[in-house]
């Protein structure tokens, strides 16, 4: 049997408002009761973050969100609502890009949580607990902007 090599996806690349190369990112705020799902990132930028990732070339933001949530948490999205979008010109990633255009969604999910190699841990945290954690910088920004913390 011949195995196909998994194609390495190219990240969707655009130009920022100041002409820099820019990636597009999606993220999910997932709440259960009074707790929020956060991942302790095993790859840079480090810190606790909501499940998130890059939009791949040729992919719609909603498709990227569904894929990233499944990859990072094992969960399936039941419903999603765009709650914020914005260009962050200070948000770097391990691919060397320093500008990201973010789409942040409020999501309802189902399934059983399972972590992957991109995370050290994945857990539910209250607002009070989140305020004491070392958050990944973009998620500290989003959680404050959206008045989660």
């Amino acid at each position: 049997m011949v195995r196909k090599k998994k194609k390495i996806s190219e990240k969707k690349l655009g130009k920022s408002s100041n002409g820099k190369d820019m990636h597009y990112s999606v993220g999910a705020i997932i709440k259960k009761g009074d707790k929020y799902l956060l991942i302790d990132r095993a790859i840079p930028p480090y810190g606790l973050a909501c499940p998130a990732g890059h939009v791949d070339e040729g992919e719609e933001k909603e498709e990227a969100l569904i894929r990233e949530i499944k990859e990072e948490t094992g969960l399936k999205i039941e419903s999603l609502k765009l709650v914020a979008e914005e260009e962050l010109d200070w948000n770097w990633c391990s691919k060397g890009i320093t500008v990201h255009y973010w789409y942040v969604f409020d999501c309802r999910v189902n399934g059983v949580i399972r972590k992957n190699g991109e995370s050290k841990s994945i857990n539910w945290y209250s607002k009070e607990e989140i305020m004491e954690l070392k958050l990944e910088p973009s998620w500290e920004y989003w959680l404050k902007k959206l008045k989660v913390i």
Side-chain angles (χ1 to χ4, degrees):
M1 177 160 97
V2 177
R3 288 184 168 222
K4 289 183 179 180
K5 282 188 177 180
K6 185 176 179 183
K7 182 182 173 199
I8 297 175
S9 298
E10 291 293 321
K11 306 304 173 216
K12 186 174 181 180
L13 189 63
K15 290 291 183 188
S16 70
S17 58
N18 62 5
K20 292 182 181 179
D21 285 344
M22 176 177 72
H23 278 162
Y24 295 83
S25 294
V26 291
I29 296 176
I30 301 170
K31 187 176 180 186
K32 179 173 78 171
D34 66 346
K35 296 195 172 193
Y36 295 84
L37 188 64
L38 297 179
I39 293 170
D40 190 1
R41 295 176 51 85
I43 57 173
Y46 298 113
L48 281 105
C50 290
H54 287 106
V55 178
D56 289 341
E57 190 61 49
E59 194 174 43
E60 295 295 324
K61 60 187 175 289
E62 295 85 359
E63 293 173 301
L65 184 72
I66 291 166
R67 175 183 51 76
E68 286 289 347
I69 299 311
K70 185 72 172 165
E71 288 174 5
E72 290 191 357
T73 70
L75 298 171
K76 183 178 178 183
I77 295 177
E78 289 181 342
S79 66
L80 53 90
K81 177 184 174 190
L82 184 65
V83 292
E85 65 176 286
E86 184 179 339
E87 179 182 302
L88 301 183
D89 66 358
W90 49 265
N91 181 214
W92 66 276
C93 70
S94 61
K95 309 291 183 219
I97 300 293
T98 60
V99 182
H100 286 75
Y101 192 93
W102 276 89
Y103 300 97
V104 179
F105 294 85
D106 178 53
C107 295
R108 300 291 169 256
V109 296
N110 66 35
V112 177
I113 292 174
R114 103 184 128 62
K115 74 178 195 78
N116 71 9
E118 293 182 16
S119 60
K120 297 177 201 172
S121 67
I122 181 168
N123 288 300
W124 297 96
Y125 298 92
S126 68
K127 288 182 179 190
E128 296 76 24
E129 291 169 323
I130 294 170
M131 290 172 26
E132 301 297 320
L133 298 172
K134 167 80 170 99
L135 297 172
E136 186 272 326
S138 63
W139 281 101
E140 181 175 2
Y141 173 80
W142 286 120
L143 293 175
K144 285 180 178 176
K145 182 174 182 131
L146 294 169
K147 297 182 178 13
V148 171
I149 57 173

